[in-house]
C-alpha cells in the first residue's frame, strides 16, 4: 500500500513522498485569536490532527506547525470592546483555544509561532520582496505586485482578468492594481504597531504564514493545510509571496477540508448560525465530536445538526462500549493474555486492519476506515459472547483497536477513573439489593447514579459502571 493524497494544486490524487524519507514538514493555518473557537474552526483542527496521527503511525516524524495570529484588526476591535490590550485579548483566547483542542482529543502542535514574536522575520521577508520588485510602498502601506508574479491564481484556478471583476477587493487608490494585496499596514493613531523601514505599522494577514513557514520549515514544505475558504485569497497569496522570493514551490501538497453547514445552510457570521466548541463540549464527548467530523470525507461538506450529533453520539458510544467490554473481560481473566490468539480471530483481525489502512491510504478516507472499526466492534461482541474465547483473543482485539484508535482517537486514552466513595457505596448497595431480589431498590439506585452521571451496565462478566 502507498499513501495517496488529493493535491489541490493538481486537482488529483498523488503518491505522497516527503522530501526527506521518514520526515514530514506540515503547516496548517491557525486561529486569529480574538474569540472562542466555533464548530467550523474545529473541522480543520480535527482533520489535520488525524492526518498527522496517520503519518506518524506509518513511521514518519512529523514537524507540525500551526500559527497564532495575535494581532490584526479583529484583535484591535476586541481589545477596545473589552477595554484591554491586544496582547491580553490574545492570551485569553489562546488559553481558550488550548483548552478546546485538548477537549477535542487533539495533540498540541510541534510549535505555535505567533505573529508578534515573528515581526523581524516578516519585515525582512517584505524587504526582500521589495528588493526583487514584487512589493511597493505607498503612504506607509506596502503592497504585493500581483501582475509581476506570472503564476498568480494557479492554486485557486483564477486569473487576473477574472479577479478584476470577481473578487471583493477594497478600492484603494494607493494600489497599482485592484488585486494587489497588502503586506504591511501603516498604523492608525493609537493602534498597536512596530517600527519598520516604511514607518510604524503591522503586517497584513497573508505575509505572516509565508514568513513563519519559511523560518521554521524551510523554503518548501511537504503539506500545507487549511479550510477550503483559505484557498483564495490566503493560500494563493502565500504561494505568490514565497515563490516569488525563493523560486521554489511553497508546498508540494496542498490539502483543504470542506465547509461545515448548519442545518443545510453555510455557516456564517451574517446568518448568526455559528456554534461555539466550548458549548458543544458541554453536551458531547470528544469521541462524539471527532466521530461526527471524521464520518464524512474531509473534502466533502458536512452538515451540523442536532440529529447528526445525536447519531454520532450513539455510534461513538457503541465503539467505546465494545472497547471497554473487551478490556473488562481481559482484566477478569486471571490467566492473563499469554499465548497465541486463535487462528480465526487472527484472520479476521488481519482483514480488518488491512482494510483500515487501505482506506486511510486512499486520501484519508475516514468514513470507510470507520466502517473497519465497526467490523472490529462486531468481531469483539461476537468474541465476548463466545464462552470458549481465549484471553489472547481479547488481547489481540485490543491491540488492533489501539492501532486504529491512535489515528482516529474515537475513544479517550486515559486511565480508568475512580468512582468516588458515594458512587462506590451506591454500587455496593445495588449489588446487595439485586442479590436479595429487591428489584425496586435496585432500579432506584440505578436512577440515582444516572442523575450523578454514572451509567451502570450488567454484563455477562458482572456489573460495570462508566461516566456519561
Amino acid at each position: 500500500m502507498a499513501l495517496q493524497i488529493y493535491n489541490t494544486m493538481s486537482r488529483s490524487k498523488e503518491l505522497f513522498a516527503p522530501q526527506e524519507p521518514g520526515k514530514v514538514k506540515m503547516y496548517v493555518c491557525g486561529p486569529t485569536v480574538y474569540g472562542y473557537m466555533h464548530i467550523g474552526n474545529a473541522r480543520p483542527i480535527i482533520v489535520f490532527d488525524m492526518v498527522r496521527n496517520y503519518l506518524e503511525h506509518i513511521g514518519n516524524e512529523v514537524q507540525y506547525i500551526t500559527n497564532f495570529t495575535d494581532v490584526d484588526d479583529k484583535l484591535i476591535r476586541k481589545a477596545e470592546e473589552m477595554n484591554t490590550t491586544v496582547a491580553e485579548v490574545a492570551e485569553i483566547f489562546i488559553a481558550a483555544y488550548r483548552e478546546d483542542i485538548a477537549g477535542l482529543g487533539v495533540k498540541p502542535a510541534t510549535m505555535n509561532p505567533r505573529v508578534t514574536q515573528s515581526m523581524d522575520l516578516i519585515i525582512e521577508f517584505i524587504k526582500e520582496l521589495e528588493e526583487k520588485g514584487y512589493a511597493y510602498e505607498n503612504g506607509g502601506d506596502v503592497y504585493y505586485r500581483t501582475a509581476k508574479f506570472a503564476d498568480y491564481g494557479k492554486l485557486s484556478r483564477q486569473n487576473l482578468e477574472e479577479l478584476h471583476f470577481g473578487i471583493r477587493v477594497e478600492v484603494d487608490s494607493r494600489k497599482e492594481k485592484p488585486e494587489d494585496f497588502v503586506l504591511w499596514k501603516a498604523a492608525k493613531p493609537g493602534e498597536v504597531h512596530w517600527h519598520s523601514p516604511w514607518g510604524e505599522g503591522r503586517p497584513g494577514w497573508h505575509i505572516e504564514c509565508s514568513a513563519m513557514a519559511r523560518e521554521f520549515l524551510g523554503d518548501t514544505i511537504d503539506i500545507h493545510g487549511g479550510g477550503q475558504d483559505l484557498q483564495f485569497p490566503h493560500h494563493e497569496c502565500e504561494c505568490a509571496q514565497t515563490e516569488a522570493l525563493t523560486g521554489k514551490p511553497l508546498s508540494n501538497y496542498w490539502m483543504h477540508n470542506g465547509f461545515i453547514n448548519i442545518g443545510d445552510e453555510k455557516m456564517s457570521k451574517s446568518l448568526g448560525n455559528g456554534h461555539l466548541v466550548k458549548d458543544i463540549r458541554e453536551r458531547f464527548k470528544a469521541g462524539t465530536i471527532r466521530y461526527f467530523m471524521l464520518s464524512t470525507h474531509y473534502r466533502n461538506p458536512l452538515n451540523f445538526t442536532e440529529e447528526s450529533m445525536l447519531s454520532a453520539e450513539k455510534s461513538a458510544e457503541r465503539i467505546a462500549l465494545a472497547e471497554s467490554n473487551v478490556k473488562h473481560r481481559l482484566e477478569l481473566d486471571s490467566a492473563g493474555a499469554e499465548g497465541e490468539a486463535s487462528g480465526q480471530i487472527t484472520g479476521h483481525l488481519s482483514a480488518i486492519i488491512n482494510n483500515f489502512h487501505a482506506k486511510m491510504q486512499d486520501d484519508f478516507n475516514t468514513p470507510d476506515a470507520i466502517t473497519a472499526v465497526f467490523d472490529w466492534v462486531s468481531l469483539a461482541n461476537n468474541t465476548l459472547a463466545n464462552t470458549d474465547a481465549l484471553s489472547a483473543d481479547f488481547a489481540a482485539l485490543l491491540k488492533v483497536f489501539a492501532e486504529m484508535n491512535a489515528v482516529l482517537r474515537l475513544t479517550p486514552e486515559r486511565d480508568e477513573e475512580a468512582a468516588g466513595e458515594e458512587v462506590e457505596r451506591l454500587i455496593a448497595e445495588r449489588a446487595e439489593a439485586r442479590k436479595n431480589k429487591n428489584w425496586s431498590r435496585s432500579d432506584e439506585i440505578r436512577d440515582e447514579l444516572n442523575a450523578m452521571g454514572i451509567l451502570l451496565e450488567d454484563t455477562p462478566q458482572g456489573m460495570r459502571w462508566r461516566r456519561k
Side-chain angles (χ1 to χ4, degrees):
M1 291 186 290
L3 177 60
Q4 300 272 337
I5 294 179
Y6 183 87
N7 190 348
T8 305
M9 185 67 77
S10 66
R11 300 296 196 273
S12 65
K13 292 179 185 177
E14 299 177 9
L15 178 67
F16 179 66
Q19 299 166 85
E20 184 177 351
K23 294 188 176 181
V24 177
K25 297 177 179 180
M26 188 171 173
Y27 188 96
V28 177
C29 292
T32 302
V33 287
Y34 71 100
Y36 293 104
M37 183 194 306
H38 58 69
I39 192 66
N41 304 136
R43 190 176 193 191
I45 289 168
I46 290 174
V47 163
F48 291 106
D49 177 68
M50 171 274 296
V51 170
R52 174 197 187 177
N53 291 343
Y54 192 71
L55 290 170
E56 290 178 340
H57 182 71
I58 60 176
N60 295 288
E61 176 188 333
V62 180
Q63 193 173 2
Y64 184 86
I65 306 292
T66 296
N67 69 296
F68 288 141
T69 298
D70 58 350
V71 61
D72 83 337
D73 292 343
K74 298 184 185 73
L75 276 101
I76 291 171
R77 288 195 295 270
K78 193 70 173 182
E80 291 172 352
E81 290 173 16
M82 297 175 64
N83 193 28
T84 187
T85 64
V86 167
E88 179 61 22
V89 169
E91 290 303 324
I92 290 168
F93 292 111
I94 286 173
Y97 169 88
R98 294 191 193 280
E99 184 177 339
D100 274 338
I101 68 164
L104 294 172
V106 172
K107 293 189 295 188
T110 308
M111 183 183 296
N112 294 114
R114 302 187 187 194
V115 174
T116 57
Q117 296 171 354
S118 306
M119 208 57 65
D120 290 344
L121 303 174
I122 293 169
I123 290 170
E124 184 59 32
F125 200 111
I126 298 171
K127 283 171 61 179
E128 291 184 52
L129 285 173
E130 190 177 38
E131 290 166 4
K132 286 177 172 284
Y134 286 96
Y136 60 94
E137 183 268 344
N138 192 342
D141 292 335
V142 182
Y143 297 96
Y144 184 88
R145 189 173 275 123
T146 53
K148 186 174 174 63
F149 186 70
D151 286 337
Y152 189 76
K154 66 178 179 178
L155 179 64
S156 56
R157 302 291 175 95
Q158 302 197 55
N159 61 57
L160 289 179
E161 288 300 318
E162 292 171 338
L163 294 178
H164 280 299
F165 304 99
I167 68 171
R168 293 178 294 176
V169 291
E170 192 175 329
V171 176
D172 191 336
S173 61
R174 291 169 295 178
K175 295 181 180 182
E176 293 178 354
K177 300 282 186 179
E179 62 272 11
D180 291 351
F181 57 89
V182 67
L183 300 171
W184 185 262
K185 302 174 71 171
K188 297 175 183 176
E191 284 186 346
V192 61
H193 60 268
W194 285 261
H195 181 69
S196 80
W198 315 283
E200 307 300 319
R202 64 181 189 280
W205 177 33
H206 311 307
I207 191 65
E208 63 188 57
C209 287
S210 284
M212 288 186 280
R214 185 188 183 204
E215 174 68 14
F216 299 112
L217 296 175
D219 288 346
T220 300
I221 59 181
D222 294 304
I223 296 174
H224 197 315
Q228 184 181 330
D229 57 316
L230 297 182
Q231 187 181 140
F232 184 87
H234 187 53
H235 288 167
E236 191 71 69
C237 294
E238 280 187 64
C239 273
Q241 294 162 163
T242 299
E243 296 181 12
L245 191 63
T246 67
K248 303 173 186 176
L250 167 54
S251 181
N252 287 331
Y253 302 85
W254 288 87
M255 296 180 66
H256 294 93
N257 64 271
F259 291 114
I260 283 189
N261 298 322
I262 307 296
D264 293 318
E265 285 188 314
K266 181 179 176 182
M267 189 176 71
S268 70
K269 288 181 181 177
S270 61
L271 292 173
N273 60 358
H275 294 263
L276 298 181
V277 169
K278 69 183 184 70
D279 297 331
I280 295 169
R281 288 198 297 110
E282 289 182 1
R283 292 193 58 202
F284 299 102
K285 294 179 181 178
T288 295
I289 301 171
R290 291 182 71 93
Y291 183 96
F292 165 71
M293 293 287 186
L294 299 177
S295 59
T296 296
H297 193 277
Y298 77 89
R299 287 191 284 115
N300 292 336
L302 181 58
N303 197 33
F304 179 86
T305 64
E306 176 81 5
E307 292 75 18
S308 63
M309 288 302 297
L310 291 174
S311 175
E313 184 175 49
K314 288 181 181 178
S315 297
E317 286 290 338
R318 184 181 165 203
I319 294 168
L321 181 59
E323 180 202 22
S324 182
N325 285 341
V326 172
K327 284 183 176 179
H328 184 60
R329 171 64 179 78
L330 190 57
E331 289 165 1
L332 289 175
D333 195 324
S334 57
E338 296 179 2
E340 295 184 0
S342 63
Q344 188 175 25
I345 287 288
T346 302
H348 285 314
L349 287 175
S350 179
I352 287 170
I353 198 63
N354 287 340
N355 185 40
F356 176 83
H357 283 293
K359 301 307 181 184
M360 289 300 297
Q361 300 227 341
D362 182 16
D363 191 34
F364 307 101
N365 185 349
T366 55
D368 285 354
I370 289 174
T371 298
V373 174
F374 277 112
D375 290 340
W376 179 92
V377 170
S378 296
L379 180 61
N381 290 336
N382 289 337
T383 307
L384 285 163
N386 181 4
T387 56
D388 296 326
L390 306 172
S391 294
D393 293 344
F394 295 106
L397 279 162
L398 288 177
K399 183 178 179 182
V400 167
F401 181 81
E403 185 173 344
M404 296 187 290
N405 198 48
V407 175
L408 304 177
R409 296 172 70 88
L410 298 177
T411 67
E413 297 175 356
R414 65 187 180 194
D415 296 333
E416 290 296 321
E417 299 171 286
E421 289 185 13
E422 178 63 10
V423 172
E424 293 284 9
R425 184 188 67 76
L426 288 170
I427 288 173
E429 184 184 344
R430 181 174 180 271
E432 187 65 22
R434 288 174 63 82
K435 181 179 177 182
N436 297 328
K437 298 185 178 181
N438 186 350
W439 308 122
S440 60
R441 179 56 184 153
S442 173
D443 290 343
E444 286 174 4
I445 294 172
R446 178 186 285 274
D447 292 341
E448 286 180 49
L449 289 167
N450 187 59
M452 296 167 65
I454 302 293
L455 293 177
L456 298 182
E457 296 164 357
D458 295 307
T459 74
Q461 293 80 36
M463 197 284 300
R464 299 180 52 240
W465 70 272
R466 62 187 174 89
R467 297 195 186 277
K468 290 183 182 180

